[in-house]
Amino acid sequence: MLPTNAYATHGPKEKLVPFSFDRRDPRPHDVVIEIMYCGVCHSDLHQARDEWGGSIYPMVPGHEIVGRVTRVGQEVKKFKAGDLAGVGVLIDSCRKCKPCLDGLENYCVEGMTGTYNAYERDGKSLAQGGYSTQIVTDENYVLHVSEKLDLKAVAPLLCAGITTYSPLRYVGVGPGMKVGVIGLGGLGHMGLKFAVSFGAEVSLITTSASKEADARRLGAHHVVLSTDKAMMKKYDSYFDVLLNTLSANHSYTTYLKLLGLNGTMINVGLPTAAGEVQPFALLKNRRSIMGSGVGGIKETQEMLDYCAEKNIVADVEVIPMQQINEAYERMLKSDVRYRFVIDLKSLK
Ligand code: NAP
Ligand code: ZN
Ligand code: ZN
């Protein structure tokens, strides 16, 4: 057994507190990773507080993990001790359904195994996430991380990065397209960087006027304040694609109105309540609305390699583990520029 230090929550209304547990000894296909940095995703907060229902405690959140391999099982082919490695939102899947065989393990028919707040495929071992000093994961679900990039700023790519990269690629974002990114948080700022890098005309649609200068620095061509009715009217029927990253409950119709003919709103945000969608707002301009969940392992590797080539990383604020509860409160106030990342040295 591998004794591991962590922070965990023991219930929906509890704060995160120090916690220790044992990781399994590596099996033949396992990689042991000493975690250096772990990003703080809004999904961590949703699950820690049981906002989606069904949370399992004690819970060590964290699914934007980067670190160095310390040991590998005897059958491991892809990694060796000393390599940089990353673990994202999933650590296993059935490996035999069509989506799994097509590299879309995130859409596994039996359901993917989450990095935390999930039981492993044996149905009884509780998976624990990256707010911890080490993780043991099957090599097939571990990513290669380039030595070229700033590691603390790479961590958020493992969730915020792939969650925005994947649907923007799927809908074919590129030159000549008008893309609106809704919300400038962890996901939003990565979506904005990717859409700019793919050559689209990109706008930020935000509730925070104070984020305008940052949005322009990140490459936004326009900034639309969603609380300003006149401005929202100006962009009526304007966009080809909207990337909706909002974590809070809201009316979808408000934003659907911004889509032009055949426009698509991609929903990646996961608020707790059902959002309101007016049928007439969908009918106009033959609009559609779709969802997207993270990305498969193959595409996550493709995204990481793309980021290494184009020098794309997250804008991060590094915190020690001990500040996680304050970080959650700031995230709720949309006060993060633009991703908190935990330095796990603080737990050693
Ligand atoms: P985040 O960093 O907290 O960003 C959310 C942004 O939403 C905020 O920065 C803010 O942007 C906007 N916002 C917050 N409250 C709002 C309100 N009341 N009204 C309007 N806008 C509001 O969160 P995140 O980590 O990017 O995650 C965003 C959502 O995506 C979460 O629900 C998360 O669970 C989900 N998620 C989904 C997937 C997936 O696979 N689909 C993966 C990861 C995360 P402005 O200040 O610019 O308005
Ligand atoms: Zn996430
Ligand atoms: Zn499967």
Side-chain angles (χ1 to χ4, degrees), residues 41-43 46 52 159 163 183-188 205-208 211 245-248 255 268-271 292-294 331 334 336 338-339:
C41 180
H42 207 112
S43 301
H46 288 310
W52 297 336
C159 176
T163 301
L184 196 65
L187 266 54
I205 301 149
T206 181
T207 58
S208 307
K211 293 181 182 173
T245 76
L246 299 188
S247 51
Y255 298 100
V268 288
L270 292 167
S292 187
V294 286
M331 188 155 64
S334 305
V336 41
Y338 281 92
R339 194 58 134 190

PDB file of all heavy atoms in Angstrom, residues 41-43 46 52 159 163 183-188 205-208 211 245-248 255 268-271 292-294 331 334 336 338-339, ligand 1:
ATOM      1  N   CYS A  41     -11.327  22.625 -10.504  1.00  0.00           N
ATOM      2  CA  CYS A  41     -12.413  22.766 -11.477  1.00  0.00           C
ATOM      3  C   CYS A  41     -13.707  23.075 -10.725  1.00  0.00           C
ATOM      4  O   CYS A  41     -13.897  22.614  -9.597  1.00  0.00           O
ATOM      5  CB  CYS A  41     -12.541  21.442 -12.231  1.00  0.00           C
ATOM      6  SG  CYS A  41     -13.839  21.416 -13.477  1.00  0.00           S
ATOM      7  N   HIS A  42     -14.619  23.792 -11.374  1.00  0.00           N
ATOM      8  CA  HIS A  42     -15.909  24.054 -10.710  1.00  0.00           C
ATOM      9  C   HIS A  42     -16.653  22.735 -10.462  1.00  0.00           C
ATOM     10  O   HIS A  42     -17.465  22.637  -9.537  1.00  0.00           O
ATOM     11  CB  HIS A  42     -16.751  25.031 -11.528  1.00  0.00           C
ATOM     12  CG  HIS A  42     -17.713  25.828 -10.699  1.00  0.00           C
ATOM     13  ND1 HIS A  42     -17.613  27.179 -10.490  1.00  0.00           N
ATOM     14  CD2 HIS A  42     -18.792  25.429  -9.982  1.00  0.00           C
ATOM     15  CE1 HIS A  42     -18.590  27.582  -9.693  1.00  0.00           C
ATOM     16  NE2 HIS A  42     -19.321  26.538  -9.373  1.00  0.00           N
ATOM     17  N   SER A  43     -16.370  21.706 -11.254  1.00  0.00           N
ATOM     18  CA  SER A  43     -16.987  20.390 -11.014  1.00  0.00           C
ATOM     19  C   SER A  43     -16.549  19.819  -9.665  1.00  0.00           C
ATOM     20  O   SER A  43     -17.285  19.048  -9.049  1.00  0.00           O
ATOM     21  CB  SER A  43     -16.599  19.395 -12.115  1.00  0.00           C
ATOM     22  OG  SER A  43     -17.017  19.868 -13.364  1.00  0.00           O
ATOM     23  N   HIS A  46     -18.996  21.463  -7.310  1.00  0.00           N
ATOM     24  CA  HIS A  46     -20.343  20.879  -7.463  1.00  0.00           C
ATOM     25  C   HIS A  46     -20.415  19.524  -6.737  1.00  0.00           C
ATOM     26  O   HIS A  46     -21.378  19.223  -6.051  1.00  0.00           O
ATOM     27  CB  HIS A  46     -20.669  20.604  -8.929  1.00  0.00           C
ATOM     28  CG  HIS A  46     -20.946  21.805  -9.804  1.00  0.00           C
ATOM     29  ND1 HIS A  46     -21.829  22.795  -9.482  1.00  0.00           N
ATOM     30  CD2 HIS A  46     -20.479  22.127 -11.040  1.00  0.00           C
ATOM     31  CE1 HIS A  46     -21.890  23.685 -10.480  1.00  0.00           C
ATOM     32  NE2 HIS A  46     -21.081  23.310 -11.435  1.00  0.00           N
ATOM     33  N   TRP A  52     -24.886  17.807  -7.635  1.00  0.00           N
ATOM     34  CA  TRP A  52     -25.468  16.984  -8.709  1.00  0.00           C
ATOM     35  C   TRP A  52     -26.165  15.741  -8.144  1.00  0.00           C
ATOM     36  O   TRP A  52     -26.740  14.952  -8.904  1.00  0.00           O
ATOM     37  CB  TRP A  52     -24.373  16.522  -9.697  1.00  0.00           C
ATOM     38  CG  TRP A  52     -23.684  17.625 -10.439  1.00  0.00           C
ATOM     39  CD1 TRP A  52     -24.161  18.884 -10.711  1.00  0.00           C
ATOM     40  CD2 TRP A  52     -22.376  17.566 -11.035  1.00  0.00           C
ATOM     41  NE1 TRP A  52     -23.230  19.596 -11.437  1.00  0.00           N
ATOM     42  CE2 TRP A  52     -22.134  18.817 -11.648  1.00  0.00           C
ATOM     43  CE3 TRP A  52     -21.392  16.579 -11.117  1.00  0.00           C
ATOM     44  CZ2 TRP A  52     -20.935  19.105 -12.329  1.00  0.00           C
ATOM     45  CZ3 TRP A  52     -20.216  16.863 -11.792  1.00  0.00           C
ATOM     46  CH2 TRP A  52     -19.995  18.118 -12.386  1.00  0.00           C
ATOM     47  N   CYS A 159      -8.705  19.072 -17.828  1.00  0.00           N
ATOM     48  CA  CYS A 159     -10.182  19.111 -17.866  1.00  0.00           C
ATOM     49  C   CYS A 159     -10.648  20.340 -18.635  1.00  0.00           C
ATOM     50  O   CYS A 159     -11.256  20.212 -19.686  1.00  0.00           O
ATOM     51  CB  CYS A 159     -10.808  19.060 -16.482  1.00  0.00           C
ATOM     52  SG  CYS A 159     -12.610  19.239 -16.582  1.00  0.00           S
ATOM     53  N   THR A 163     -12.190  19.822 -22.380  1.00  0.00           N
ATOM     54  CA  THR A 163     -13.654  20.030 -22.413  1.00  0.00           C
ATOM     55  C   THR A 163     -14.046  21.123 -23.411  1.00  0.00           C
ATOM     56  O   THR A 163     -15.148  21.102 -23.958  1.00  0.00           O
ATOM     57  CB  THR A 163     -14.162  20.398 -21.002  1.00  0.00           C
ATOM     58  OG1 THR A 163     -13.827  19.329 -20.119  1.00  0.00           O
ATOM     59  CG2 THR A 163     -15.663  20.621 -20.976  1.00  0.00           C
ATOM     60  N   GLY A 183     -18.996  33.204 -20.492  1.00  0.00           N
ATOM     61  CA  GLY A 183     -18.384  33.009 -19.175  1.00  0.00           C
ATOM     62  C   GLY A 183     -16.874  32.923 -19.272  1.00  0.00           C
ATOM     63  O   GLY A 183     -16.340  32.088 -20.002  1.00  0.00           O
ATOM     64  N   LEU A 184     -16.184  33.796 -18.540  1.00  0.00           N
ATOM     65  CA  LEU A 184     -14.716  33.740 -18.552  1.00  0.00           C
ATOM     66  C   LEU A 184     -14.222  33.209 -17.203  1.00  0.00           C
ATOM     67  O   LEU A 184     -13.799  33.953 -16.322  1.00  0.00           O
ATOM     68  CB  LEU A 184     -14.105  35.115 -18.852  1.00  0.00           C
ATOM     69  CG  LEU A 184     -12.628  35.068 -19.272  1.00  0.00           C
ATOM     70  CD1 LEU A 184     -12.457  34.342 -20.605  1.00  0.00           C
ATOM     71  CD2 LEU A 184     -12.010  36.460 -19.363  1.00  0.00           C
ATOM     72  N   GLY A 185     -14.313  31.887 -17.075  1.00  0.00           N
ATOM     73  CA  GLY A 185     -13.736  31.198 -15.921  1.00  0.00           C
ATOM     74  C   GLY A 185     -12.696  30.221 -16.442  1.00  0.00           C
ATOM     75  O   GLY A 185     -12.081  30.465 -17.480  1.00  0.00           O
ATOM     76  N   GLY A 186     -12.531  29.099 -15.734  1.00  0.00           N
ATOM     77  CA  GLY A 186     -11.540  28.105 -16.140  1.00  0.00           C
ATOM     78  C   GLY A 186     -11.803  27.575 -17.539  1.00  0.00           C
ATOM     79  O   GLY A 186     -10.930  27.608 -18.416  1.00  0.00           O
ATOM     80  N   LEU A 187     -13.017  27.094 -17.793  1.00  0.00           N
ATOM     81  CA  LEU A 187     -13.346  26.559 -19.117  1.00  0.00           C
ATOM     82  C   LEU A 187     -13.373  27.678 -20.149  1.00  0.00           C
ATOM     83  O   LEU A 187     -12.821  27.551 -21.240  1.00  0.00           O
ATOM     84  CB  LEU A 187     -14.713  25.853 -19.089  1.00  0.00           C
ATOM     85  CG  LEU A 187     -14.712  24.337 -18.849  1.00  0.00           C
ATOM     86  CD1 LEU A 187     -13.960  23.952 -17.597  1.00  0.00           C
ATOM     87  CD2 LEU A 187     -16.113  23.772 -18.833  1.00  0.00           C
ATOM     88  N   GLY A 188     -14.044  28.782 -19.800  1.00  0.00           N
ATOM     89  CA  GLY A 188     -14.231  29.870 -20.755  1.00  0.00           C
ATOM     90  C   GLY A 188     -12.912  30.421 -21.280  1.00  0.00           C
ATOM     91  O   GLY A 188     -12.762  30.631 -22.490  1.00  0.00           O
ATOM     92  N   ILE A 205     -18.801  36.683 -23.946  1.00  0.00           N
ATOM     93  CA  ILE A 205     -20.098  37.132 -23.430  1.00  0.00           C
ATOM     94  C   ILE A 205     -20.027  36.917 -21.920  1.00  0.00           C
ATOM     95  O   ILE A 205     -19.881  35.786 -21.450  1.00  0.00           O
ATOM     96  CB  ILE A 205     -21.240  36.336 -24.081  1.00  0.00           C
ATOM     97  CG1 ILE A 205     -21.177  36.546 -25.602  1.00  0.00           C
ATOM     98  CG2 ILE A 205     -22.598  36.759 -23.526  1.00  0.00           C
ATOM     99  CD1 ILE A 205     -21.665  35.390 -26.408  1.00  0.00           C
ATOM    100  N   THR A 206     -20.057  37.995 -21.156  1.00  0.00           N
ATOM    101  CA  THR A 206     -19.712  37.903 -19.737  1.00  0.00           C
ATOM    102  C   THR A 206     -20.652  38.718 -18.860  1.00  0.00           C
ATOM    103  O   THR A 206     -21.283  39.660 -19.334  1.00  0.00           O
ATOM    104  CB  THR A 206     -18.251  38.387 -19.544  1.00  0.00           C
ATOM    105  OG1 THR A 206     -17.894  38.292 -18.167  1.00  0.00           O
ATOM    106  CG2 THR A 206     -18.056  39.837 -19.981  1.00  0.00           C
ATOM    107  N   THR A 207     -20.699  38.336 -17.572  1.00  0.00           N
ATOM    108  CA  THR A 207     -21.415  39.169 -16.593  1.00  0.00           C
ATOM    109  C   THR A 207     -20.447  40.125 -15.894  1.00  0.00           C
ATOM    110  O   THR A 207     -20.878  40.949 -15.096  1.00  0.00           O
ATOM    111  CB  THR A 207     -22.070  38.281 -15.509  1.00  0.00           C
ATOM    112  OG1 THR A 207     -21.039  37.500 -14.871  1.00  0.00           O
ATOM    113  CG2 THR A 207     -23.115  37.350 -16.087  1.00  0.00           C
ATOM    114  N   SER A 208     -19.145  39.976 -16.173  1.00  0.00           N
ATOM    115  CA  SER A 208     -18.119  40.736 -15.437  1.00  0.00           C
ATOM    116  C   SER A 208     -17.443  41.757 -16.336  1.00  0.00           C
ATOM    117  O   SER A 208     -16.516  41.410 -17.086  1.00  0.00           O
ATOM    118  CB  SER A 208     -17.048  39.782 -14.890  1.00  0.00           C
ATOM    119  OG  SER A 208     -17.626  38.747 -14.135  1.00  0.00           O
ATOM    120  N   LYS A 211     -13.646  41.970 -16.655  1.00  0.00           N
ATOM    121  CA  LYS A 211     -12.819  40.980 -17.365  1.00  0.00           C
ATOM    122  C   LYS A 211     -12.520  41.379 -18.813  1.00  0.00           C
ATOM    123  O   LYS A 211     -11.847  40.642 -19.536  1.00  0.00           O
ATOM    124  CB  LYS A 211     -13.490  39.600 -17.320  1.00  0.00           C
ATOM    125  CG  LYS A 211     -13.536  39.003 -15.906  1.00  0.00           C
ATOM    126  CD  LYS A 211     -14.176  37.623 -15.878  1.00  0.00           C
ATOM    127  CE  LYS A 211     -14.261  37.084 -14.452  1.00  0.00           C
ATOM    128  NZ  LYS A 211     -15.031  35.815 -14.372  1.00  0.00           N
ATOM    129  N   THR A 245     -20.286  28.041 -20.927  1.00  0.00           N
ATOM    130  CA  THR A 245     -19.516  27.442 -19.820  1.00  0.00           C
ATOM    131  C   THR A 245     -20.081  27.810 -18.449  1.00  0.00           C
ATOM    132  O   THR A 245     -19.405  27.641 -17.440  1.00  0.00           O
ATOM    133  CB  THR A 245     -18.029  27.879 -19.868  1.00  0.00           C
ATOM    134  OG1 THR A 245     -17.909  29.236 -19.398  1.00  0.00           O
ATOM    135  CG2 THR A 245     -17.442  27.785 -21.260  1.00  0.00           C
ATOM    136  N   LEU A 246     -21.302  28.321 -18.414  1.00  0.00           N
ATOM    137  CA  LEU A 246     -21.812  28.842 -17.134  1.00  0.00           C
ATOM    138  C   LEU A 246     -22.039  27.736 -16.100  1.00  0.00           C
ATOM    139  O   LEU A 246     -22.665  26.721 -16.383  1.00  0.00           O
ATOM    140  CB  LEU A 246     -23.104  29.625 -17.352  1.00  0.00           C
ATOM    141  CG  LEU A 246     -22.977  30.843 -18.270  1.00  0.00           C
ATOM    142  CD1 LEU A 246     -24.276  31.648 -18.261  1.00  0.00           C
ATOM    143  CD2 LEU A 246     -21.805  31.728 -17.866  1.00  0.00           C
ATOM    144  N   SER A 247     -21.576  28.003 -14.899  1.00  0.00           N
ATOM    145  CA  SER A 247     -21.714  27.049 -13.789  1.00  0.00           C
ATOM    146  C   SER A 247     -22.994  27.303 -12.996  1.00  0.00           C
ATOM    147  O   SER A 247     -23.450  26.445 -12.248  1.00  0.00           O
ATOM    148  CB  SER A 247     -20.516  27.202 -12.850  1.00  0.00           C
ATOM    149  OG  SER A 247     -20.377  28.574 -12.507  1.00  0.00           O
ATOM    150  N   ALA A 248     -23.566  28.512 -13.159  1.00  0.00           N
ATOM    151  CA  ALA A 248     -24.743  28.891 -12.361  1.00  0.00           C
ATOM    152  C   ALA A 248     -26.016  28.705 -13.182  1.00  0.00           C
ATOM    153  O   ALA A 248     -25.988  28.758 -14.423  1.00  0.00           O
ATOM    154  CB  ALA A 248     -24.615  30.346 -11.923  1.00  0.00           C
ATOM    155  N   TYR A 255     -29.371  33.368 -24.244  1.00  0.00           N
ATOM    156  CA  TYR A 255     -28.163  33.239 -25.060  1.00  0.00           C
ATOM    157  C   TYR A 255     -28.456  32.654 -26.437  1.00  0.00           C
ATOM    158  O   TYR A 255     -27.799  33.023 -27.413  1.00  0.00           O
ATOM    159  CB  TYR A 255     -27.131  32.398 -24.311  1.00  0.00           C
ATOM    160  CG  TYR A 255     -26.697  33.039 -23.001  1.00  0.00           C
ATOM    161  CD1 TYR A 255     -27.223  32.626 -21.785  1.00  0.00           C
ATOM    162  CD2 TYR A 255     -25.788  34.099 -22.994  1.00  0.00           C
ATOM    163  CE1 TYR A 255     -26.848  33.225 -20.589  1.00  0.00           C
ATOM    164  CE2 TYR A 255     -25.403  34.709 -21.808  1.00  0.00           C
ATOM    165  CZ  TYR A 255     -25.940  34.267 -20.603  1.00  0.00           C
ATOM    166  OH  TYR A 255     -25.564  34.876 -19.437  1.00  0.00           O
ATOM    167  N   VAL A 268     -21.334  23.142 -22.124  1.00  0.00           N
ATOM    168  CA  VAL A 268     -20.399  22.360 -21.304  1.00  0.00           C
ATOM    169  C   VAL A 268     -20.593  22.661 -19.819  1.00  0.00           C
ATOM    170  O   VAL A 268     -20.229  21.857 -18.972  1.00  0.00           O
ATOM    171  CB  VAL A 268     -18.923  22.555 -21.739  1.00  0.00           C
ATOM    172  CG1 VAL A 268     -18.670  21.861 -23.064  1.00  0.00           C
ATOM    173  CG2 VAL A 268     -18.540  24.022 -21.814  1.00  0.00           C
ATOM    174  N   GLY A 269     -21.162  23.817 -19.504  1.00  0.00           N
ATOM    175  CA  GLY A 269     -21.455  24.146 -18.107  1.00  0.00           C
ATOM    176  C   GLY A 269     -22.504  23.193 -17.549  1.00  0.00           C
ATOM    177  O   GLY A 269     -23.369  22.715 -18.290  1.00  0.00           O
ATOM    178  N   LEU A 270     -22.416  22.897 -16.272  1.00  0.00           N
ATOM    179  CA  LEU A 270     -23.327  21.918 -15.660  1.00  0.00           C
ATOM    180  C   LEU A 270     -24.005  22.467 -14.410  1.00  0.00           C
ATOM    181  O   LEU A 270     -23.775  21.984 -13.299  1.00  0.00           O
ATOM    182  CB  LEU A 270     -22.544  20.642 -15.312  1.00  0.00           C
ATOM    183  CG  LEU A 270     -22.057  19.846 -16.524  1.00  0.00           C
ATOM    184  CD1 LEU A 270     -21.042  18.788 -16.113  1.00  0.00           C
ATOM    185  CD2 LEU A 270     -23.230  19.207 -17.244  1.00  0.00           C
ATOM    186  N   PRO A 271     -24.855  23.489 -14.580  1.00  0.00           N
ATOM    187  CA  PRO A 271     -25.589  24.013 -13.434  1.00  0.00           C
ATOM    188  C   PRO A 271     -26.513  22.952 -12.858  1.00  0.00           C
ATOM    189  O   PRO A 271     -26.786  21.942 -13.519  1.00  0.00           O
ATOM    190  CB  PRO A 271     -26.406  25.173 -14.015  1.00  0.00           C
ATOM    191  CG  PRO A 271     -25.903  25.406 -15.379  1.00  0.00           C
ATOM    192  CD  PRO A 271     -25.213  24.169 -15.828  1.00  0.00           C
ATOM    193  N   SER A 292     -21.626  18.487 -24.393  1.00  0.00           N
ATOM    194  CA  SER A 292     -20.355  17.803 -24.640  1.00  0.00           C
ATOM    195  C   SER A 292     -19.676  17.555 -23.306  1.00  0.00           C
ATOM    196  O   SER A 292     -19.681  18.432 -22.438  1.00  0.00           O
ATOM    197  CB  SER A 292     -19.477  18.663 -25.553  1.00  0.00           C
ATOM    198  OG  SER A 292     -18.320  17.970 -25.946  1.00  0.00           O
ATOM    199  N   GLY A 293     -19.129  16.356 -23.140  1.00  0.00           N
ATOM    200  CA  GLY A 293     -18.475  16.001 -21.878  1.00  0.00           C
ATOM    201  C   GLY A 293     -17.012  15.661 -22.090  1.00  0.00           C
ATOM    202  O   GLY A 293     -16.678  14.768 -22.876  1.00  0.00           O
ATOM    203  N   VAL A 294     -16.152  16.387 -21.470  1.00  0.00           N
ATOM    204  CA  VAL A 294     -14.681  16.259 -21.579  1.00  0.00           C
ATOM    205  C   VAL A 294     -14.252  15.770 -22.963  1.00  0.00           C
ATOM    206  O   VAL A 294     -14.643  16.357 -23.983  1.00  0.00           O
ATOM    207  CB  VAL A 294     -14.047  15.439 -20.417  1.00  0.00           C
ATOM    208  CG1 VAL A 294     -14.038  16.255 -19.162  1.00  0.00           C
ATOM    209  CG2 VAL A 294     -14.720  14.096 -20.185  1.00  0.00           C
ATOM    210  N   MET A 331     -14.185  31.174  -6.270  1.00  0.00           N
ATOM    211  CA  MET A 331     -14.678  30.643  -7.547  1.00  0.00           C
ATOM    212  C   MET A 331     -16.177  30.907  -7.679  1.00  0.00           C
ATOM    213  O   MET A 331     -16.663  31.265  -8.750  1.00  0.00           O
ATOM    214  CB  MET A 331     -14.385  29.136  -7.626  1.00  0.00           C
ATOM    215  CG  MET A 331     -14.677  28.522  -8.960  1.00  0.00           C
ATOM    216  SD  MET A 331     -13.707  27.027  -9.260  1.00  0.00           S
ATOM    217  CE  MET A 331     -14.316  25.947  -8.000  1.00  0.00           C
ATOM    218  N   SER A 334     -17.077  34.204  -9.095  1.00  0.00           N
ATOM    219  CA  SER A 334     -16.443  34.436 -10.413  1.00  0.00           C
ATOM    220  C   SER A 334     -15.146  35.223 -10.253  1.00  0.00           C
ATOM    221  O   SER A 334     -14.760  35.983 -11.133  1.00  0.00           O
ATOM    222  CB  SER A 334     -17.373  35.198 -11.367  1.00  0.00           C
ATOM    223  OG  SER A 334     -18.598  34.530 -11.491  1.00  0.00           O
ATOM    224  N   VAL A 336     -11.808  34.353 -10.124  1.00  0.00           N
ATOM    225  CA  VAL A 336     -10.598  33.551 -10.337  1.00  0.00           C
ATOM    226  C   VAL A 336     -10.061  33.905 -11.710  1.00  0.00           C
ATOM    227  O   VAL A 336     -10.820  34.005 -12.670  1.00  0.00           O
ATOM    228  CB  VAL A 336     -10.876  32.029 -10.175  1.00  0.00           C
ATOM    229  CG1 VAL A 336     -12.187  31.621 -10.789  1.00  0.00           C
ATOM    230  CG2 VAL A 336      -9.753  31.201 -10.738  1.00  0.00           C
ATOM    231  N   TYR A 338      -7.265  32.563 -14.148  1.00  0.00           N
ATOM    232  CA  TYR A 338      -8.604  32.101 -14.486  1.00  0.00           C
ATOM    233  C   TYR A 338      -8.777  30.658 -14.038  1.00  0.00           C
ATOM    234  O   TYR A 338      -9.821  30.078 -14.275  1.00  0.00           O
ATOM    235  CB  TYR A 338      -8.859  32.326 -15.988  1.00  0.00           C
ATOM    236  CG  TYR A 338      -9.215  33.809 -16.197  1.00  0.00           C
ATOM    237  CD1 TYR A 338      -8.243  34.750 -16.485  1.00  0.00           C
ATOM    238  CD2 TYR A 338     -10.516  34.255 -15.978  1.00  0.00           C
ATOM    239  CE1 TYR A 338      -8.573  36.099 -16.589  1.00  0.00           C
ATOM    240  CE2 TYR A 338     -10.840  35.603 -16.104  1.00  0.00           C
ATOM    241  CZ  TYR A 338      -9.865  36.516 -16.396  1.00  0.00           C
ATOM    242  OH  TYR A 338     -10.172  37.856 -16.490  1.00  0.00           O
ATOM    243  N   ARG A 339      -7.733  30.139 -13.369  1.00  0.00           N
ATOM    244  CA  ARG A 339      -7.851  28.818 -12.767  1.00  0.00           C
ATOM    245  C   ARG A 339      -6.961  28.745 -11.537  1.00  0.00           C
ATOM    246  O   ARG A 339      -5.768  29.092 -11.627  1.00  0.00           O
ATOM    247  CB  ARG A 339      -7.365  27.768 -13.774  1.00  0.00           C
ATOM    248  CG  ARG A 339      -7.732  26.330 -13.444  1.00  0.00           C
ATOM    249  CD  ARG A 339      -9.184  26.105 -13.300  1.00  0.00           C
ATOM    250  NE  ARG A 339      -9.711  24.934 -13.980  1.00  0.00           N
ATOM    251  CZ  ARG A 339     -11.026  24.725 -14.087  1.00  0.00           C
ATOM    252  NH1 ARG A 339     -11.894  25.571 -13.582  1.00  0.00           N
ATOM    253  NH2 ARG A 339     -11.463  23.660 -14.706  1.00  0.00           N
TER     254      ARG A 339
HETATM  255  P1  NAP B   1     -15.674  28.770 -13.263  1.00  0.00           P
HETATM  256  O1  NAP B   1     -14.198  28.890 -13.415  1.00  0.00           O
HETATM  257  O2  NAP B   1     -16.278  29.030 -11.945  1.00  0.00           O
HETATM  258  O3  NAP B   1     -16.339  29.702 -14.385  1.00  0.00           O
HETATM  259  C1  NAP B   1     -17.725  29.854 -14.534  1.00  0.00           C
HETATM  260  C2  NAP B   1     -18.021  31.234 -15.118  1.00  0.00           C
HETATM  261  O4  NAP B   1     -19.428  31.343 -15.250  1.00  0.00           O
HETATM  262  C3  NAP B   1     -17.640  32.386 -14.220  1.00  0.00           C
HETATM  263  O5  NAP B   1     -16.303  32.775 -14.322  1.00  0.00           O
HETATM  264  C4  NAP B   1     -18.570  33.489 -14.705  1.00  0.00           C
HETATM  265  O6  NAP B   1     -18.053  34.116 -15.879  1.00  0.00           O
HETATM  266  C5  NAP B   1     -19.811  32.715 -15.111  1.00  0.00           C
HETATM  267  N1  NAP B   1     -20.847  32.801 -14.067  1.00  0.00           N
HETATM  268  C6  NAP B   1     -20.754  32.417 -12.774  1.00  0.00           C
HETATM  269  N2  NAP B   1     -21.900  32.675 -12.112  1.00  0.00           N
HETATM  270  C7  NAP B   1     -22.728  33.219 -13.018  1.00  0.00           C
HETATM  271  C8  NAP B   1     -24.069  33.686 -12.972  1.00  0.00           C
HETATM  272  N3  NAP B   1     -24.772  33.652 -11.829  1.00  0.00           N
HETATM  273  N4  NAP B   1     -24.638  34.167 -14.116  1.00  0.00           N
HETATM  274  C9  NAP B   1     -23.950  34.201 -15.259  1.00  0.00           C
HETATM  275  N5  NAP B   1     -22.661  33.787 -15.346  1.00  0.00           N
HETATM  276  C10 NAP B   1     -22.078  33.295 -14.263  1.00  0.00           C
HETATM  277  O7  NAP B   1     -16.134  27.291 -13.656  1.00  0.00           O
HETATM  278  P2  NAP B   1     -15.464  26.233 -14.662  1.00  0.00           P
HETATM  279  O8  NAP B   1     -14.505  25.383 -13.899  1.00  0.00           O
HETATM  280  O9  NAP B   1     -15.046  26.916 -15.899  1.00  0.00           O
HETATM  281  O10 NAP B   1     -16.713  25.284 -14.954  1.00  0.00           O
HETATM  282  C11 NAP B   1     -17.874  25.800 -15.585  1.00  0.00           C
HETATM  283  C12 NAP B   1     -18.971  24.759 -15.615  1.00  0.00           C
HETATM  284  O11 NAP B   1     -18.574  23.696 -16.492  1.00  0.00           O
HETATM  285  C13 NAP B   1     -19.257  24.092 -14.266  1.00  0.00           C
HETATM  286  O12 NAP B   1     -20.653  23.913 -14.152  1.00  0.00           O
HETATM  287  C14 NAP B   1     -18.543  22.763 -14.379  1.00  0.00           C
HETATM  288  O13 NAP B   1     -19.087  21.764 -13.553  1.00  0.00           O
HETATM  289  C15 NAP B   1     -18.740  22.448 -15.836  1.00  0.00           C
HETATM  290  N6  NAP B   1     -17.793  21.483 -16.408  1.00  0.00           N
HETATM  291  C16 NAP B   1     -18.261  20.664 -17.378  1.00  0.00           C
HETATM  292  C17 NAP B   1     -17.407  19.777 -18.005  1.00  0.00           C
HETATM  293  C18 NAP B   1     -17.909  18.922 -19.105  1.00  0.00           C
HETATM  294  O14 NAP B   1     -17.326  17.893 -19.382  1.00  0.00           O
HETATM  295  N7  NAP B   1     -18.951  19.313 -19.795  1.00  0.00           N
HETATM  296  C19 NAP B   1     -16.059  19.722 -17.631  1.00  0.00           C
HETATM  297  C20 NAP B   1     -15.626  20.605 -16.657  1.00  0.00           C
HETATM  298  C21 NAP B   1     -16.480  21.483 -16.051  1.00  0.00           C
HETATM  299  P3  NAP B   1     -18.187  35.708 -16.135  1.00  0.00           P
HETATM  300  O15 NAP B   1     -17.620  36.356 -14.897  1.00  0.00           O
HETATM  301  O16 NAP B   1     -17.382  35.916 -17.354  1.00  0.00           O
HETATM  302  O17 NAP B   1     -19.646  35.980 -16.338  1.00  0.00           O
END
